[in-house]
Amino acid sequence: MGLLLGLLLLDHLTVVTYGHPILEAPESVTGPWKGDVNIPCTYGPLQGYTQVLVKWLVHHGLDPVTIFLHDSSGDHIQQAKYRGRLQVNHKIPGDVSLQLNTLEMDDRSHYTCEVTWQTPNGNQVVRDKIIELRVRKFSVSKPTVTTGSGYGFTVPQGMSISLQCQAWGSPPINYAWYKEQTNNPEPIKVAVLSTLLFKPAMVADSGSYFCTAKARVGSEQRSNTVKFVVEGKDLPIFFIVLIISLCCIVVFIMAYVMLCRKTSQQEHVYEVARTHAREASNSGEAWRVGIFTGCCSSKEPSSQTPGNDYSEDPCLGQENQTIAWINSDYAHLLHTASTDYELLATKDTGVC
């Protein structure tokens, strides 16, 4: 008898030293039909107490049925009805809340959260809480508009940013985005998604926007209008003047190069003609190249000496010249036009 009293006293001292584990959970939770719900169940971890078992039970009829079990071997979903849409949180110590997705009307029931700990003296302590789950069909709430960055509703040009429309209600929830017009009271529909993406944002995207949301039940709800501003990147006046100056310099250089190239080509043509004339003279052959543009003098040259015979008489309409290579390798035509050309090349004498 004394031994039994001693053991009870020791157990009492252990409980006093380490305290009792306490589960905390609400009496009832309401979730949206076809939506998701979190059934809270938490406790404060105590030194010396080790969690060894977590159970979630649902009350159908008189006897509760285990739907979830977590032990040293892992998570186990006991009912096929809940597979794929039930999970229990393990990320935060002391949080064993139940997440139930895609609620159906027959999910309404009483759920029991049960936790078992091992005490420092090797005994086990069990605590539980019963929570009522209610399932309702909710009309959609008034949507709110947020941005996907810390810039708010004023952003620099070229940045990728999104406007997000969020509402709560029985899914599915259908969203739409509208942009207000300056000269027309009727807004323009710009998207039918919950997220309006600007990739990248341009100055023309600036304006007033709002979104709407519609659930399975209830009327369509509209958000407040937000003013979205995209700021352009203006160049300083110094850079603008510099760019214009550089463009003018480039144009001037190109024009100068083209003019020099044209002048060089003309000088090269006449130099070729004089060179071949000298070669013909050195070889002892009398080659003459006559250049006519339609009305040259027909007088005989005064001598038979080799060389180029250029007429000094003015010719009407003289606009074009033809230079022919004597060795027949190629001909270079300069300033081609409708004027008749005549090339006379004779070995001894030439007549115009």
Side-chain angles (χ1 to χ4, degrees), residues 51-221:
Q51 175 186 302
V52 294
L53 187 64
V54 176
K55 276 186 179 183
W56 277 93
L57 304 93
V58 61
H59 297 258
H60 287 303
L62 297 177
D63 298 325
V65 178
T66 301
I67 59 175
F68 176 85
L69 174 66
H70 174 77
D71 56 15
S72 58
S73 62
D75 294 346
H76 307 280
I77 297 177
Q78 304 293 326
Q79 300 291 321
K81 174 185 176 181
Y82 297 96
R83 289 175 184 169
R85 62 189 191 99
L86 183 154
Q87 58 183 356
V88 173
N89 186 27
H90 300 299
K91 296 181 180 179
I92 302 175
D95 187 356
V96 292
S97 301
L98 175 69
Q99 177 76 22
L100 190 57
N101 302 328
T102 318
L103 288 176
E104 300 292 346
M105 298 305 293
D106 60 358
D107 288 328
R108 294 176 296 182
S109 186
H110 287 80
Y111 290 78
T112 298
C113 174
E114 181 182 295
V115 181
T116 302
W117 298 270
Q118 184 174 350
T119 64
N121 59 9
N123 296 327
Q124 289 190 347
V125 176
V126 180
R127 295 290 185 269
D128 60 36
K129 279 286 187 178
I130 298 177
I131 308 104
E132 180 184 4
L133 173 61
R134 302 168 181 172
V135 180
R136 289 180 52 189
K137 294 181 179 180
F138 288 96
S139 59
V140 72
S141 63
K142 180 178 180 178
T144 58
V145 177
T146 58
T147 61
S149 71
Y151 283 88
F153 296 102
T154 301
V155 299
Q157 181 179 355
M159 178 181 177
S160 296
I161 193 172
S162 61
L163 300 182
Q164 299 172 353
C165 184
Q166 297 175 328
W168 189 85
S170 295
I173 300 176
N174 298 318
Y175 295 93
W177 278 97
Y178 296 87
K179 182 179 182 181
E180 294 182 348
Q181 302 184 72
T182 305
N183 301 323
N184 193 335
E186 195 69 24
I188 303 174
K189 181 183 287 188
V190 294
V192 291
L193 299 173
S194 62
T195 301
L196 181 60
L197 180 63
F198 300 94
K199 189 179 180 182
M202 308 299 293
V203 175
D205 295 325
S206 299
S208 298
Y209 294 83
F210 66 89
C211 69
T212 61
K214 178 72 170 65
R216 284 178 177 266
V217 295
S219 59
E220 183 180 77
Q221 298 293 323

Side-chain angles (χ1 to χ4, degrees), residues 278-289:
R278 288 195 297 270
E279 291 177 355
S281 176
N282 295 335
S283 63
E285 297 178 350
W287 291 89
R288 296 173 59 211
V289 177

